[in-house]
Amino acid sequence: MKKAKHLLPFYILLTLLTISCTTIPFFWDGTFFSALSVYFYENGMNGLIAPLPIDTGGFPLYSSYLTFAWNLFGKTLTVSHLAILPFILGIVFEFYKLAKRFINEKTIFLALILLIIEPVFITQSILMGYDILIAYFFLLSLNSLYEKKQLLFSIALIFLCLISIRGIMLASAIFTIDLVRERKIDLKLIRNYIPAAFILFIWFVYHKTQTGWYLFSPTREN
């Protein structure tokens, strides 16, 4: 009950905010990733490989998710905004769990207020930013690490790494946190990172065989 009392007002507020912003178009990086979603929507998933001008080299998790939502409910801005809403609410939930570990219960409500008024979070929320997915899976990974939920941790880490290079960097940060906590590297520590590393390796090999390059686009290098 206490958890619901803390979180429900923020869930309602962010849901209403999302609904009120459903006419706001994609912006900045969002235009790039939405262009990839449009390509998948109009041409099929094409083995998840995009044309060179819009191929980042990374696994197109965000764009594929949007395409999936459009195929189910229609290619509209409203659907795009609502598709990101579960991750926005998920950030609030995971932030709440993380905050409880480090601050007094009496200040949790204030911490949640600080979260939703944080400029980057609120801006990314109303612009359907792919950083919302990064933040969610980062917090989910971190909480799963603290809670010693090994399977959930591995799954969350896989999704974090498949979002973008930023996600891979954050996965490295989580590994550093884990290393500092355990103060040693052994098989028990690294085994939970193996699935994410293996799937990334498979993706890069697959992308290389399909395009002749991986990770860094030759057009951007030039």
Side-chain angles (χ1 to χ4, degrees):
M1 290 300 294
K2 285 185 177 181
K3 181 184 296 186
K5 182 180 70 174
H6 282 309
L7 298 180
L8 186 58
F10 299 97
Y11 286 165
I12 294 173
L13 177 62
L14 289 169
T15 299
L16 292 176
L17 177 66
T18 298
I19 293 173
S20 70
C21 294
T22 52
T23 59
I24 296 178
F26 290 95
F27 180 76
W28 205 249
D29 284 351
T31 60
F32 180 88
F33 290 104
S34 63
L36 180 51
S37 298
V38 170
Y39 174 81
F40 286 152
Y41 182 80
E42 295 179 347
N43 300 280
M45 298 307 290
N46 192 33
L48 298 176
I49 301 295
L52 186 58
I54 55 174
D55 186 358
T56 65
F59 186 88
L61 182 64
Y62 174 86
S63 300
S64 300
Y65 172 67
L66 273 186
T67 304
F68 176 74
W70 291 348
N71 282 324
L72 285 180
F73 304 109
K75 185 168 72 72
T76 66
L77 281 174
T78 297
V79 170
S80 303
H81 279 276
L82 294 179
I84 302 301
L85 179 60
F87 297 99
I88 296 172
L89 302 183
I91 287 173
V92 175
F93 179 69
E94 296 300 330
F95 177 85
Y96 170 78
K97 290 201 300 181
L98 186 64
K100 286 200 306 179
R101 294 182 172 275
F102 300 104
I103 62 177
N104 190 287
E105 182 74 21
K106 295 179 180 179
T107 60
I108 290 290
F109 194 79
L110 176 59
L112 289 168
I113 291 176
L114 292 175
L115 169 66
I116 67 165
I117 66 173
E118 200 279 321
V120 175
F121 173 66
I122 204 66
T123 301
Q124 290 291 319
S125 296
I126 66 177
L127 293 177
M128 304 162 284
Y130 81 105
D131 287 320
I132 291 295
L133 272 68
I134 294 177
Y136 171 71
F137 285 114
F138 173 74
L139 290 172
L140 180 62
S141 299
L142 198 55
N143 280 324
S144 301
L145 176 64
Y146 281 123
E147 295 166 4
K148 299 185 183 302
K149 295 180 178 178
Q150 296 178 354
L151 178 59
L152 182 58
F153 175 74
S154 294
I155 293 172
L157 203 69
I158 288 171
F159 282 114
L160 179 62
C161 290
L162 291 180
I163 297 172
S164 70
I165 298 300
R166 296 179 192 176
I168 297 174
M169 294 171 65
L170 285 173
S172 300
I174 290 175
F175 177 78
T176 303
I177 292 171
D178 200 6
L179 183 61
V180 170
R181 290 173 69 244
E182 298 296 331
R183 298 184 180 181
K184 62 179 180 180
I185 298 180
D186 55 19
L187 182 60
K188 182 179 178 181
L189 185 143
I190 66 173
R191 66 184 179 186
N192 296 324
Y193 298 88
I194 293 175
F198 177 74
I199 289 176
L200 272 179
F201 174 77
I202 294 298
W203 166 254
F204 289 141
V205 170
Y206 169 71
H207 191 278
K208 174 75 172 180
T209 62
Q210 297 298 308
T211 65
W213 61 276
Y214 64 94
L215 202 57
F216 298 108
S217 168
T219 59
R220 289 196 297 272
E221 288 177 353
N222 295 331

